[in-house]
Amino acid sequence: MRPTKSLVIAILLVTAASIFGRLQATVTVLAIITLLIVIVDALTLLNRGRLVVDRRLPTILAFGQPTNVRIQIRHNLSQRVRATINDRCPLELGPKGIPLTGDIPHDSPLIVEYTIIPTLRGDFTFDFSDVAVDSMLGFWQRILHIECKSNVRVFPDFSQITKYLKLLLVHQTNQMGIKKQIRRGEGLEFLQLREYRQADPLNRIDWKATSKRRNLISREFQEERSQQLLFLVDTGRRMHSHDGEVSLFDRTLDAVTLLSYIALSQGDRVAVLCFGQENRWVPSLTGLSGIGTLLRHTYDLQTGTEASDYVAAAEDLLVRQRKRALVVLITSLRDEDEDLPTALRLLAIRHSVLLASLRENTPNETLKTNVQNIDHALAVLGAAKYLEERRKALNECRRACHLVIDSLPSELYARLVNAYWYMKRSGIA
């Protein structure tokens, strides 16, 4: 039980009145009466009824998307009760608009709402709510810890998938930055035999069928329908950096989710191998239902301070995936990454390899600043040296694998999808 502002104000008024000597007797009587009222008011808190709190919110939340939390509170008294509700929401969920104050009617519950904006993925628990109940006259408050347990899971934001589907419906994928690739007309999977056409390459002629029919016969191929797409995702310290309010790793999960949906809708298989801070293996998924499985296995992944071993990750992948696949390695390349080209060469022996590197915009912004003192000059020189060393490292990676994209975090999903279509339809994958 704690005093309220009303009690403090009453004490200050009585104290101020005691300054006047002529009113000493009156002030004494007034002080005694006030004290009795305050004591009686405190006693009313001993019987303020039984409070019941019910919290309503979705069990699955999307990262960075606002969600309303509804609190319903009721009591068993026959009078109105004033209360202040402070729901014990995990700070990672970004609560906005609490504490809440309102009067609980005697014949119906009080319903209040506040907003949460999750800033971290994973599992979270609401254990209880703090309810501060005012005494009858408002001089005291009693804080009650009311158990009200709720479990929620924060998944990556899959609004990019919804956006992609909407664009497909209106045939406007160019608005998303995703380009349509022209097929070559031949793929890796045999389709049928047919009569030779003038534009057919000579190495597609089936000489055995030609000799039997005494007419030129060509083999026709189609794009391979069921390919293996394998994501090799860095969860180490390089992915712990932030692009504005969103981490590089969260941008990566968004892009992986979107590209996985596209690949699964094309009949491809999708697998994920995470390395670095957290090591996790998600075996091959097929069909669009695989998206739900992918989200359940990756939504709680976090980055940390652990350094990533690219070569060890490549060796682990080669043991797990022996058949040829399109491997997409996603990381944030730094100028000191000397072992990354070695890992790419190791993977490229058996697989088609795409490196997607996230670059931070801070060094480029530093180069644009006006040099006003020695500290600014040193910062600009440092940024220039870093970018030059990073460019050399990227060129080394380009010689070690099939394709490299160097992207800002906000552009990753579109550039990754474009690279997938390019490699798939050009026959590289």
Side-chain angles (χ1 to χ4, degrees), residues 29-70:
V29 173
L30 180 62
I32 294 173
I33 294 174
T34 303
L35 178 61
L36 291 174
I37 293 175
V38 168
I39 293 174
V40 171
D41 190 43
L43 294 176
T44 63
L45 275 179
L46 299 179
N47 183 24
R48 299 303 283 167
R50 179 175 177 271
L51 295 177
V52 178
V53 174
D54 182 27
R55 184 189 302 107
R56 301 291 179 87
L57 78 162
T59 57
I60 296 178
L61 309 176
F63 175 85
Q65 296 299 315
T67 303
N68 289 333
V69 179
R70 174 172 291 188

Side-chain angles (χ1 to χ4, degrees), residues 227-233 256 260 263-264 268-274 280-286 294 298 317 320-321 325-328:
Q227 295 177 319
Q228 178 70 61
L229 174 62
L230 202 158
F231 291 99
L232 188 58
V233 182
V256 168
S260 297
L264 291 172
D268 291 345
R269 302 180 303 278
V270 174
V272 179
L273 177 61
C274 299
R280 188 170 302 181
W281 168 246
V282 182
S284 290
L285 305 170
T286 57
L294 176 64
T298 58
L317 185 144
R320 295 178 184 274
Q321 182 64 36
L326 170 56
V327 177
V328 180

Side-chain angles (χ1 to χ4, degrees), residues 41 45 68 81 87 101 113 116 129 133 140 146 177 183 201 204 224 248 261 276 333 336 339 342 356 366 373 375 407:
D41 190 43
L45 275 179
N68 289 333
V81 174
D87 197 22
T101 302
E113 288 186 351
I116 56 175
S129 292
V133 181
W140 299 95
I146 302 177
R183 297 174 183 263
R204 296 304 186 193
E224 191 173 350
L248 301 186
Y261 181 88
L333 181 67
E336 72 273 13
D339 59 339
T342 303
T366 302
N373 51 47
D375 292 335
S407 172

Side-chain angles (χ1 to χ4, degrees), residues 63-88:
F63 175 85
Q65 296 299 315
T67 303
N68 289 333
V69 179
R70 174 172 291 188
I71 300 292
Q72 181 174 285
I73 180 169
R74 65 176 74 237
H75 63 83
N76 58 355
L77 290 180
S78 59
Q79 60 186 6
R80 182 181 295 269
V81 174
R82 186 160 187 81
T84 301
I85 303 99
N86 187 13
D87 197 22
R88 287 301 184 95

Side-chain angles (χ1 to χ4, degrees), residues 391-429:
R391 184 186 63 80
K392 293 179 181 179
L394 274 174
N395 289 336
E396 185 68 22
C397 291
R398 288 189 177 96
R399 290 190 288 268
C401 65
H402 298 85
L403 185 63
V404 173
I405 59 174
D406 186 32
S407 172
L408 291 173
S410 58
E411 300 172 354
L412 177 63
Y413 73 93
R415 297 198 61 182
L416 203 58
V417 171
N418 286 334
Y420 164 78
W421 285 125
Y422 169 76
M423 295 187 71
K424 185 177 178 68
R425 294 181 170 176
S426 62
I428 298 177

